[in-house]
């Protein structure tokens, strides 16, 4: 029986449902005092006070003011007194089996709305496509069930005897089959009341009073926009939508297209509620003839060269349209035999109309002779199976076309990725024009749910005031000043601040085509100009030609045999390695592992194509940093004038976790933490790297007790001891943590999981030691952009914004430290989660701005603080170790498991003591 309860009513439980009252405590019993020793360890952890991100303490004032536009569009909401009602949706077949097919949910809910609109009090729905549905105001009942008939022409089973589909002019037998294919299927749709969300929560969020209700209310608004896009036939990817319009496609090669679309999300900001609209890009399968996709995907010249085992994996679950019937199916596999050999039973009624006759024929014979369809090349190729394992339905491959807007979720090649980035770039004025057009064409005013909420969305960009901070002065060799201009500087007629010395070195050439002698001459000559004394190499070792086509590990091993002959007594200190491939050389991982983990040799890999003075300078920047030199440093570092940092021993951490590519769910994640050393310097760092379970974002090896509980083998101890040794036996009194790659929903985890580990590591070293912490998250993966009002140029380097589009309460700001030369500048969004040190807004922004100028690999300011970029580099480089075929299969010291729960996470080899405290990642 269906419930008719009012979801707003609360009925107290009957008295007999209450637990019995506690007995009185006898007067002679003395309560036992509970000590922390008697509390289980798990309970202690749960009972710890939770840390939450701090509120904004003020805004900055330094810098030259600048008027900007932002891609936030003001949202007005008039119906703040109403409520969203959340209903849980359950979809099932007539026999009670749950519906698992993706994409059918929206069709079912639309059918419910169309068929039962009067029973639902005319309510409009906002449906997320899965298990949540929202209305404005309550529906008539708390629990409702509906029966829906839906045409099943896109997922028909055919006759289930292995027969192929029909054509456009069927026989009488075919017509019966077609009627069965197009018959309706019955579904059950159940909606149950789950929660009531006041719209007032949005207004509360704008006042900085965020709650679970306010987050849910904004989620409902986002779902309304997703539904609006879905009705237009868009592909939905999280909060982005993509139209089926060929002018939005760019060819990336391999049968993969880049598809340009838009991201939209509602944001609570200081200026009120806004809609953040930005460009977005995804990758899709090339629509059209299926055989064309396979030829492009496998880079072959004709259908008969296709690797069908590989094709089977690639095609599984893709949707196709079959000619000439135009029916749509999902691919389940391939036939075991070719079209001319694959048999099936064709069933038809006997001439007397009573008995069913069965004829075994091939798929090819059926289509050519029964359907009169000319098959030009499919006869000698496998068929596409769109049926079930025990009830296959075979279709010749040349009759199949891939439907548009199907996501390509496998890892892109390096070339595809660079093509995608290059072809997705848009200059500021182009982005403004495109976003202006989409805000007009989206026609949000016609969306019934938005109208019911009383929501109107402006099509005008938000005006924002920013400030441009002055670039910090740098120091080069001989104490010369370096003045950055427009976020850039050079070393013309200047030496590096602290040049290294290169002796006992060699060049190894893995069959790269270049003038090796000329390259060596240039390195020595330009190195001398920058203050680096480079002796002649001991040897230039060319790869033995017979190993050029050998596996990468073999090539590296054979090269090291040559190195050992050239350096019989001890390994070289430094090697220059010339690689034949500019991008993604498969030698790189094994080479780095051999040098850094086994022999402790500093090395620099090059893939020289166009060698000029700037190229050599860039190489020397990296080499000098790796070998312990400093190219430049902040003048404030040298004079010890950085507020809060120069006078009090301070260590800076940069933290990042690198995950496997999409589709690689079993590849371990790599956690990297870099730390500053040689205080009061802020320009020299070292790294510590660990592997952990795939796709796990929180670093779980910051504090790791050994099995005997007597020692800590975690990352933080290693870095703190290095700081102590390199900074005159000084313990840091302040720890500044920059964390990359986490979303707002993970901020409390950073404060309560990662920070807890860091504090435990400190206490393990010295129980009485209580340093002050400042924790800052750096986000690049967001969609807020800024534009100069009335100028085609990007915002100038040093631009900071801490008002208008920033959070109404939390401590956040945007910074564009770098000069955006290509496309539209993406600012870094900094969130200050904790600040025990007590920076003013100006001092913290100046520090972060300055840390964008200490990146030793370039002569430009970078978009994010250097420690974060270094952590990303360290994780990326060490992850190459895992690509070696002989990777250890032993589990990591912290015992992580893969998502399968059984395969141990491979342990990374330790870096050799010669290089472990260096900037090997530069």
């Amino acid at each position: 029986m269906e419930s008719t309860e009012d979801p707003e009513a609360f009925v107290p439980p009957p008295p007999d449902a209450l637990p019995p009252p506690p007995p009185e405590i006898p007067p002679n019993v003395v309560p036992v005092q509970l000590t922390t020793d008697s509390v289980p360890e798990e309970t202690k952890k749960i009972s710890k006070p939770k840390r939450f991100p701090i509120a904004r303490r003020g805004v900055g004032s330094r810098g030259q003011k600048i008027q900007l536009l932002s891609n936030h569009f003001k949202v007005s909401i008039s119906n703040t007194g109403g409520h969203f009602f959340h209903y849980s949706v359950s979809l099932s077949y007539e026999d009670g089996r749950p519906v698992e097919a993706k994409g059918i949910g929206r069709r079912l809910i639309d059918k419910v709305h169309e068929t039962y609109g009067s029973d639902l009090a005319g309510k409009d729905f906002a449906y997320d496509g899965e298990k949540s549905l929202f209305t404005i105001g309550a529906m008539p009942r708390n629990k409702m069930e509906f029966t829906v008939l839906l045409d099943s022409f896109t997922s028909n089973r055919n006759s289930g005897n292995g027969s192929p589909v029909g054509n456009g002019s069927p026989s009488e037998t075919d017509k019966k089959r077609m009627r069965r294919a197009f018959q309706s299927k019955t579904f059950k749709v159940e909606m149950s009341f789950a929660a009531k969300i006041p719209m007032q929560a949005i207004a509360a969020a704008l006042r900085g009073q965020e709650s679970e209700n306010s987050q849910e209310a904004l989620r409902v608004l986002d779902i309304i926009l997703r539904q609006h896009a879905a009705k237009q036939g868009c592909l939905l990817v999280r909060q982005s939508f993509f139209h089926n319009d060929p002018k939005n496609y760019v060819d990336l090669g391999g049968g993969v297209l880049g598809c340009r679309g838009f991201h939209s999300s509602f944001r609570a900001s200081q200026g009120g509620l806004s809609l953040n609209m930005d460009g977005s890009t995804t990758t899709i399968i090339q629509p059209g003839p299926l055989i064309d996709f396979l030829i492009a995907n496998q880079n072959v010249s004709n259908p008969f060269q296709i690797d069908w085992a590989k094709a089977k994996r690639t095609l599984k679950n893709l949707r196709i349209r079959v000619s000439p019937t135009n029916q749509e199916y999902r691919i389940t596999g391939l036939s075991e035999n070719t079209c001319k050999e694959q048999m099936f039973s064709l069933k038809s009624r006997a001439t007397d109309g009573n008995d069913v006759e069965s004829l075994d024929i091939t798929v090819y014979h059926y289509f050519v002779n029964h359907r009169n369809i000319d098959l030009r090349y499919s006869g000698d190729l496998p068929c596409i199976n769109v049926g079930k394992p025990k009830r296959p339905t075979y279709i010749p491959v040349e009759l199949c076309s891939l439907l548009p807007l199907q996501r390509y979720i496998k890892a892109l090649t390096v070339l595809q990725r660079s093509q995608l980035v290059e072809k997705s770039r848009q200059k500021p004025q182009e982005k403004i024009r495109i976003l202006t057009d989409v805000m007009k064409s989206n026609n949000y005013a016609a969306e019934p749910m938005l109208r019911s909420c009383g929501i109107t969305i402006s099509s005008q960009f938000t005006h924002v005031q920013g400030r441009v901070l002055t670039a910090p002065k740098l120091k080069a060799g001989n104490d010369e000043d370096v003045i950055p201009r427009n976020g850039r500087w050079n070393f013309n007629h200047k030496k590096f601040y602290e040049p290294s010395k290169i002796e006992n070195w060699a060049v190894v050439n893995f069959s790269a085509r270049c003038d090796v002698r000329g390259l060596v001459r240039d390195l020595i000559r330009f190195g001398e100009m920058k203050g680096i004394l480079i002796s002649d190499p001991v040897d230039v070792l060319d790869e033995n030609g017979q190993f050029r086509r050998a596996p990468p590990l073999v090539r590296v091993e054979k090269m090291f045999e040559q190195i050992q002959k050239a350096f019989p007594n001890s390994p070289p200190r430094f090697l220059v390695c010339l690689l034949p491939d500019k991008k993604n050389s498969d030698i790189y991982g094994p080479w780095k592992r051999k040098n850094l983990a086994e022999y402790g040799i500093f090395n620099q890999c090059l893939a020289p194509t166009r060698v000029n003075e700037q190229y050599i300078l860039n190489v020397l920047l990296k080499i000098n940093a790796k070998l312990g030199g400093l190219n430049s440093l902040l003048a404030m570092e040298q004079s010890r004038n950085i507020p809060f940092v120069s006078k009090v021993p301070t260590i800076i951490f940069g933290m990042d976790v690198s995950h496997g590519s999409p589709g690689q769910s079993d590849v371990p994640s790599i956690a990297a933490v870099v730390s500053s050393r040689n205080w009061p310097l802020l320009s020299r760092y070292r790294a510590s790297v660990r592997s952990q379970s795939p796709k796990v974002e929180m670093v779980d090896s910051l504090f790791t007790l050994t099995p005997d509980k007597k020692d800590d083998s975690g990352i933080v101890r290693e870095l703190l001891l290095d700081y102590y040794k390199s900074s005159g036996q000084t313990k840091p009194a302040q720890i500044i943590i920059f964390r990359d790659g986490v979303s707002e929903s993970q901020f409390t985890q950073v404060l309560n999981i990662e920070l807890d580990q860091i504090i435990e590591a400190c206490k393990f070293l010295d129980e009485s030691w209580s340093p002050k912490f400042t924790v800052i998250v750096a986000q690049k993966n967001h969609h807020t952009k800024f534009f100069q009002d009335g100028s085609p140029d990007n915002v100038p380097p040093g631009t900071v914004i801490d008002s208008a589009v920033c959070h109404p309460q939390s401590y956040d700001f945007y910074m564009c430290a770098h000069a955006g030369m290509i496309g539209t500048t993406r600012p870094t969004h900094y969130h200050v989660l904790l600040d025990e040190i007590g920076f003013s807004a100006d001092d913290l922004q100046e520090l972060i701005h300055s840390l964008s100028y200490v990146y030793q690999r370039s002569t430009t300011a970078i978009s994010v603080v250097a420690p974060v970029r270094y952590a990303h580099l360290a994780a990326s480089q060490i992850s190459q170790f895992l690509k070696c075929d002989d990777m250890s299969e032993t589990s990591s010291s912290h015992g992580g498991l893969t998502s399968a729960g059984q395969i141990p996470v491979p342990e990374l080899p330790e870096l050799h003591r010669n290089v472990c405290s260096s900037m090997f990642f530069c």
Side-chain angles (χ1 to χ4, degrees):
M1 187 173 171
E2 293 176 345
S3 167
T4 56
E5 291 177 14
D6 177 1
E8 297 188 42
F10 172 72
V11 181
D16 58 358
L18 296 172
E24 289 187 15
I25 299 172
N28 60 337
V29 173
V30 179
V32 176
Q33 187 172 357
L34 188 67
T35 64
T36 54
D37 294 335
S38 61
V39 179
E41 196 63 35
E42 293 80 1
T43 309
K44 287 184 189 177
K45 285 188 177 179
I46 293 169
S47 62
K48 283 182 183 176
K50 288 196 73 169
R51 302 182 192 90
F52 295 96
I54 62 172
R56 186 184 305 279
R57 295 174 178 169
V59 295
S61 59
R62 293 177 198 157
Q64 183 178 348
K65 290 181 174 56
I66 184 172
Q67 298 304 315
L68 304 170
L69 298 174
S70 179
N71 59 338
H72 284 236
F73 300 88
K74 187 170 180 58
V75 176
S76 303
I77 180 165
S78 58
N79 183 16
T80 54
H83 289 81
F84 291 121
F85 281 73
H86 178 193
Y87 294 86
S88 179
V89 175
S90 172
L91 308 174
S92 60
Y93 294 104
E94 193 174 14
D95 60 7
R97 287 179 299 119
V99 174
E100 294 175 353
K102 289 186 177 179
I104 201 170
R106 290 190 189 277
R107 291 177 58 206
L108 289 173
I109 295 298
D110 286 345
K111 197 74 173 176
V112 168
H113 193 264
E114 175 190 323
T115 309
Y116 298 96
S118 57
D119 297 347
L120 299 168
K123 294 288 181 191
D124 289 310
F125 297 159
Y127 177 53
D128 72 350
E130 294 183 7
K131 295 186 176 180
S132 290
L133 180 143
F134 299 87
T135 60
I136 297 169
M139 286 205 274
R141 293 182 298 280
N142 266 9
K143 188 172 183 179
M144 291 170 289
E145 284 188 9
F146 305 95
T147 301
V148 175
L149 294 176
L150 202 62
D151 290 338
S152 57
F153 67 90
T154 59
S155 57
N156 73 73
R157 300 181 184 178
N158 286 299
S159 55
N161 63 354
S163 67
V165 296
N167 68 3
S169 53
S171 63
E172 191 62 33
T173 305
D174 300 330
K175 286 178 181 176
K176 291 176 182 176
R177 184 179 294 113
M178 293 284 283
R179 280 199 294 274
R180 287 199 298 272
F182 280 93
Q183 69 186 6
S184 296
K185 191 175 290 185
T186 303
F187 296 87
K188 288 182 181 177
V189 178
E190 186 179 289
M191 298 181 189
S192 306
F193 172 74
K196 177 181 172 185
I197 306 159
M199 291 189 198
Q200 190 63 41
I202 298 173
L206 299 176
R207 296 192 299 270
Q209 299 166 357
E210 277 200 274
S211 64
E212 194 172 324
N213 270 342
S214 60
Q215 291 167 2
E216 278 295 294
L218 291 178
R219 178 175 161 246
V220 176
L221 298 184
D222 285 330
I223 288 170
I224 293 172
L225 292 199
R226 279 175 57 83
Q227 179 174 273
H228 184 76
K231 287 177 181 176
Q232 300 172 47
C234 293
L235 166 67
L236 305 180
V237 182
R238 292 181 292 277
Q239 289 179 274
S240 296
F241 56 94
F242 303 88
H243 290 275
N244 180 21
D245 186 344
K247 74 171 188 287
N248 294 332
Y249 299 163
V250 292
D251 189 0
L252 305 180
V256 182
L257 304 179
C259 181
R260 287 191 293 262
F262 297 93
H263 163 94
S264 66
S265 61
F266 286 95
R267 311 283 296 183
S269 67
Q270 292 175 30
L273 187 64
S274 65
L275 177 66
N276 179 203
M277 180 70 73
D278 191 23
S280 185
T281 308
T282 193
T283 50
I284 60 172
I285 298 283
Q286 172 185 305
L290 186 147
I291 203 72
D292 290 354
F293 164 71
L294 288 176
I295 288 172
N297 185 248
Q298 297 194 11
N299 193 27
V300 294
S301 56
N302 65 67
F304 304 102
Q305 297 174 327
I306 290 170
D307 177 344
W308 288 99
K310 183 179 177 184
K312 184 177 180 179
R313 294 191 298 271
T314 304
L315 295 177
K316 190 169 176 62
N317 291 324
L318 292 181
R319 289 174 291 117
I320 55 170
R321 181 178 288 119
V322 176
S323 68
T325 61
N326 283 335
Q327 286 178 258
E328 295 176 10
Y329 300 90
R330 192 176 295 276
I331 296 174
T332 56
L334 301 176
S335 62
E336 292 182 5
N337 303 310
T338 65
C339 189
K340 285 181 177 177
E341 297 169 339
Q342 184 65 51
M343 305 292 291
F344 76 98
S345 296
L346 177 64
K347 295 178 181 177
S348 59
R349 295 228 176 251
T351 50
D352 59 9
N354 295 321
D355 296 329
V356 175
E357 294 181 342
S358 181
L359 174 66
D360 286 346
I361 62 172
T362 66
V363 175
Y364 182 84
H365 183 273
Y366 174 81
F367 275 91
V368 171
N369 297 307
H370 287 250
R371 299 296 193 198
N372 298 318
I373 295 174
D374 181 30
L375 297 179
R376 291 176 296 119
Y377 56 81
S378 293
D380 297 316
L381 301 176
C383 302
I384 301 299
N385 183 7
V386 296
K388 294 193 172 181
K390 294 183 180 177
R391 303 173 68 181
T393 301
Y394 297 123
I395 304 168
V397 69
E398 67 187 85
L399 302 184
C400 303
S401 289
L402 288 163
L403 292 174
L405 294 180
Q406 298 190 74
R407 285 187 74 198
Y408 181 81
I409 57 174
K410 293 181 172 60
L412 296 179
T413 65
V414 173
L415 186 60
Q416 285 173 329
R417 196 178 302 117
S418 62
Q419 286 276 317
L420 182 63
V421 171
E422 184 180 332
K423 293 179 178 180
S424 302
R425 290 170 178 150
Q426 294 170 337
K427 289 284 188 185
Q429 291 303 304
E430 182 186 4
K431 187 173 278 288
I432 287 176
R433 177 183 59 77
I434 289 171
L435 291 180
T436 300
D437 290 346
V438 78
M439 287 303 295
K440 289 175 181 173
S441 65
N442 274 340
N443 194 21
Y444 288 135
E447 172 55 50
M449 283 289 285
L450 290 180
R451 283 207 309 269
S452 301
C453 297
I455 282 180
T456 54
I457 303 172
S458 168
S459 59
Q460 301 298 311
F461 284 69
T462 297
H463 286 265
V464 177
Q465 186 178 80
R467 293 171 290 111
V468 182
L469 303 180
T470 304
K473 189 163 69 173
L474 306 175
K475 287 288 184 180
N478 300 323
D479 208 33
E480 289 191 74
D481 288 339
V482 178
I483 311 297
R485 300 192 188 284
N486 196 33
R488 310 176 77 84
W489 63 95
N490 61 61
F491 282 99
N492 292 346
H493 313 297
K494 293 181 176 68
K495 297 184 185 299
F496 292 154
Y497 181 81
E498 194 178 294
S500 54
K501 192 174 183 180
I502 302 177
E503 296 175 314
N504 194 36
W505 70 290
V507 179
V508 300
N509 182 13
F510 281 102
S511 306
R513 295 178 181 176
C514 71
D515 177 7
V516 179
R517 309 291 169 185
L519 180 66
V520 169
R521 277 196 311 272
D522 287 344
L523 279 172
I524 293 172
R525 182 163 63 91
F526 288 116
E528 187 178 358
M529 290 167 60
K530 300 304 156 199
I532 301 177
L533 295 177
I534 306 176
S535 64
D536 289 330
V538 171
D539 207 342
V540 175
L541 304 169
D542 288 305
E543 182 178 33
N544 187 325
Q546 73 183 80
F547 299 117
R548 286 182 186 176
R549 299 192 183 279
L553 281 168
V554 173
R555 296 176 71 181
V556 170
E557 288 291 344
K558 292 298 180 184
M559 183 60 79
F560 261 87
E561 288 176 11
Q562 291 183 249
I563 293 168
Q564 285 167 335
K565 289 175 185 175
F567 296 86
N569 299 322
S570 61
R573 180 164 187 259
F574 177 67
L575 290 172
V576 169
C577 173
L578 305 181
L579 298 174
D581 309 306
K582 186 171 184 182
K583 295 279 188 184
N584 210 28
S585 172
D586 53 8
I587 299 170
Y588 184 85
W591 173 258
K592 285 291 181 183
R593 176 175 173 159
K594 197 81 173 171
N595 280 273
L596 298 176
E598 292 186 36
Y599 285 91
I601 302 171
F602 294 99
N603 63 98
Q604 178 64 49
C605 291
L606 306 177
T609 47
R610 289 181 300 172
V611 176
N612 54 29
E613 184 174 347
Q614 188 59 51
Y615 179 87
I616 297 294
L617 174 62
N618 289 342
V619 169
L620 289 169
L621 288 171
K622 297 178 184 181
I623 292 174
N624 192 46
K626 286 176 180 176
L627 292 174
L630 276 175
N631 303 323
S632 62
L633 82 168
L634 301 168
M636 290 188 296
E637 258 181 290
Q638 188 192 49
S639 60
R640 299 185 66 163
N641 278 333
I642 301 175
F644 292 94
V645 173
S646 293
K647 300 292 194 288
V648 180
T650 303
I651 188 171
I652 297 178
F653 287 155
M655 297 170 55
D656 188 26
V657 178
S658 171
H659 305 293
S661 302
Q664 295 179 315
S665 59
D666 58 344
V667 174
S669 294
I670 305 295
V673 184
V674 302
S675 63
S676 58
R677 56 201 310 263
N678 299 111
W679 179 81
L681 291 185
L682 300 182
S683 294
R684 188 173 276 143
Y685 293 81
R686 66 156 291 167
S688 183
V689 186
R690 301 284 194 279
S691 57
Q692 59 186 43
S693 298
K695 310 299 180 187
V696 172
E697 183 55 51
M698 290 298 115
V699 182
D700 61 7
S701 49
L702 297 169
F703 174 70
T704 308
L705 281 177
T706 53
D708 61 7
K709 309 283 187 184
K710 292 182 178 179
D711 205 359
D712 168 19
S713 61
I715 289 175
V716 172
R717 176 187 174 90
E718 178 185 328
L719 299 178
L720 289 174
L721 290 175
D722 176 80
Y723 176 94
Y724 184 77
K725 291 171 189 170
S726 69
S727 304
Q729 314 292 296
T730 302
K731 283 187 294 190
Q734 299 175 156
I735 299 179
I736 302 173
I737 301 163
F738 288 99
R739 180 64 161 93
D740 185 29
V742 292
S743 62
E744 280 94 333
S745 63
Q746 296 168 313
F747 287 176
T748 53
Q749 289 178 271
V750 171
L751 288 175
N752 293 284
I753 297 175
E754 292 184 339
L755 182 58
D756 266 7
Q757 288 184 70
I758 295 171
I759 292 171
E760 282 187 272
C762 294
K763 293 293 185 187
F764 196 84
L765 283 167
D766 181 351
E767 185 63 40
S768 63
W769 179 29
S770 298
K772 293 180 178 178
F773 289 93
T774 292
V775 181
I776 302 162
V777 168
Q779 287 181 333
K780 291 285 287 180
N781 191 22
H782 62 84
H783 287 274
T784 296
K785 301 287 195 303
F786 298 100
F787 310 88
Q788 288 200 61
D789 196 355
S791 168
D793 298 328
N794 269 309
V795 297
T799 300
V800 62
I801 298 96
D802 58 4
S803 61
V805 296
C806 292
H807 195 275
Q809 183 185 35
S810 298
Y811 190 173
D812 69 327
F813 57 91
Y814 294 90
M815 183 174 288
C816 304
H818 65 303
M821 308 303 289
I822 305 169
T824 302
T825 298
R826 175 179 291 187
T828 299
H829 193 184
Y830 290 101
H831 301 260
V832 185
L833 307 187
L834 179 69
D835 182 24
E836 295 175 344
I837 296 173
F839 288 98
S840 68
D842 277 322
D843 284 340
L844 188 58
Q845 289 167 10
E846 291 272 20
L847 173 65
I848 287 172
H849 185 221
S850 297
L851 286 173
S852 302
Y853 280 78
V854 302
Y855 188 59
Q856 297 296 306
R857 282 166 50 108
S858 71
T859 54
T860 61
I862 57 172
S863 61
V864 68
V865 289
V868 159
R869 182 68 60 83
Y870 287 147
H872 182 73
L873 285 174
S876 298
Q877 188 168 130
I878 298 297
S879 69
Q880 298 290 327
F881 287 11
L882 293 176
K883 295 182 181 178
C884 299
D885 295 338
D886 63 342
M887 186 64 217
S888 167
E889 291 300 325
T890 57
S891 63
S892 218
S893 57
H894 49 278
L897 294 177
T898 66
S899 53
Q902 295 178 2
I903 307 168
V905 176
E907 186 178 356
L908 293 171
E910 285 188 19
L911 295 180
H912 194 280
R913 63 179 180 276
N914 291 355
V915 298
C916 65
S917 60
S918 71
M919 293 176 68
F920 67 87
F921 42 80
C922 266

